[in-house]
Amino acid sequence: MSEAVKTLVVDDHPLFARATKALLEQIERIEVIGIASNAKQCLEQVELHQPGLIFLDYQLPDKSGTEVAAEIKRKYPDIHIVIFTGIELRGIFNKLIKIKVSGVLSKESSERTIKNMVNCILEGYTMLPIAFFHQMDLTESLVQESFLLVEEEILMMNMLVKGATHDQIADQIFMSKRTVDNYLRKIYDKLGVKSRTEALEKFIKSKYYS
């Protein structure tokens, strides 16, 4: 028989916390070790028990769920965290992914959905709403979001793609060659590349290329 996964519920609404605890206890392999009502109690419980799974309310009285999740993951990267929220978090979804939470669930989710999320996580997977999944691009969009170029930098890179030299770029946009060289070094740093060839390849795949 598989070992039970110690689970902590973190929510400052007692009735909702107890309901979540009761639901999780119905899931095979889940052992709810307690309820915390704020970030301080949560971190104390994590230090004491080091649970394998935490259902973490996004809105706590003393800290945001994002702050708490980041603090836990820095110290215990293997702990699974599900952000359990009553508000729309799509705007910070990328931030939560960067923190490496294991899932995000609405408090309006059905019992079946919550149980499915837990079982997915125990198998090393997660769940996303289909509508959100359809908006994701796991290749090109990641390249696009990984750097930000200003107007002059976009112009220079488009000219480089067309074969312009540094001198030609300088003449066309009325800058010195040294200024162009400095701009391009900064662009290469933003792109995380070392050579002109690598820069061009990455730029062509981005939303900035026209």
Side-chain angles (χ1 to χ4, degrees):
M1 184 175 177
S2 300
E3 185 178 348
V5 178
K6 292 187 290 186
T7 302
L8 178 66
V9 175
V10 185
D11 199 304
D12 63 329
H13 295 88
L15 289 177
F16 199 90
R18 287 197 293 270
T20 303
K21 177 178 181 291
L23 175 59
L24 293 174
E25 286 175 335
Q26 298 174 21
I27 304 173
E28 187 179 356
R29 290 179 57 198
I30 293 297
E31 176 194 353
V32 180
I33 56 167
I35 294 172
S37 61
N38 56 47
K40 182 175 182 294
Q41 290 179 8
C42 170
L43 296 172
E44 288 172 351
Q45 291 292 312
V46 169
E47 191 72 28
L48 183 62
H49 297 291
Q50 294 180 31
L53 174 65
I54 300 173
F55 262 65
L56 177 63
D57 187 9
Y58 180 75
Q59 293 180 302
L60 296 172
D62 48 350
K63 280 186 180 181
S64 73
T66 308
E67 293 176 287
V68 179
E71 191 168 341
I72 292 170
K73 293 297 284 187
R74 277 195 298 270
K75 193 164 186 180
Y76 303 104
D78 293 332
I79 291 179
H80 290 293
I81 298 175
V82 175
I83 300 293
F84 207 31
T85 178
I87 64 174
E88 174 61 59
L89 292 181
R90 188 166 299 184
I92 64 165
F93 215 95
N94 284 334
K95 184 174 183 180
L96 294 172
I97 292 173
K98 189 174 181 180
I99 292 171
K100 297 188 177 178
V101 303
S102 297
V104 179
L105 267 181
S106 167
K107 288 185 175 181
E108 297 179 359
S109 300
S110 67
E111 291 188 7
R112 178 184 293 181
T113 297
I114 295 168
K115 291 177 180 179
N116 285 343
M117 171 67 90
V118 173
N119 285 315
C120 279
I121 288 171
L122 296 182
E123 296 295 329
Y125 294 87
T126 192
M127 284 176 16
L128 291 171
I130 291 175
F132 183 75
F133 177 70
H134 287 168
Q135 294 176 19
M136 297 178 68
D137 184 334
L138 299 180
T139 53
E140 190 169 317
S141 65
L142 293 178
V143 174
Q144 292 174 0
E145 293 176 0
S146 64
F147 57 87
L148 179 65
L149 299 182
V150 298
E151 186 176 348
E152 293 89 347
E153 294 169 335
I154 296 168
L155 175 60
M156 290 179 189
M157 287 304 299
N158 274 303
M159 292 176 69
L160 275 183
V161 170
K162 294 173 183 175
T165 65
H166 291 201
D167 287 320
Q168 289 170 331
I169 294 172
D171 288 342
Q172 187 162 333
I173 60 179
F174 307 106
M175 289 184 178
S176 69
K177 180 177 177 296
R178 175 172 291 183
T179 300
V180 171
D181 290 342
N182 288 336
Y183 260 102
L184 290 172
R185 276 196 294 270
K186 289 178 182 177
I187 294 171
Y188 290 5
D189 286 341
K190 285 185 178 183
L191 298 179
V193 299
K194 299 294 184 183
S195 70
R196 175 182 173 130
T197 301
E198 290 176 322
L200 292 176
E201 287 178 356
K202 197 163 187 178
F203 179 75
I204 288 170
K205 293 177 182 178
S206 78
K207 64 183 177 183
Y208 298 112
Y209 176 56
S210 61

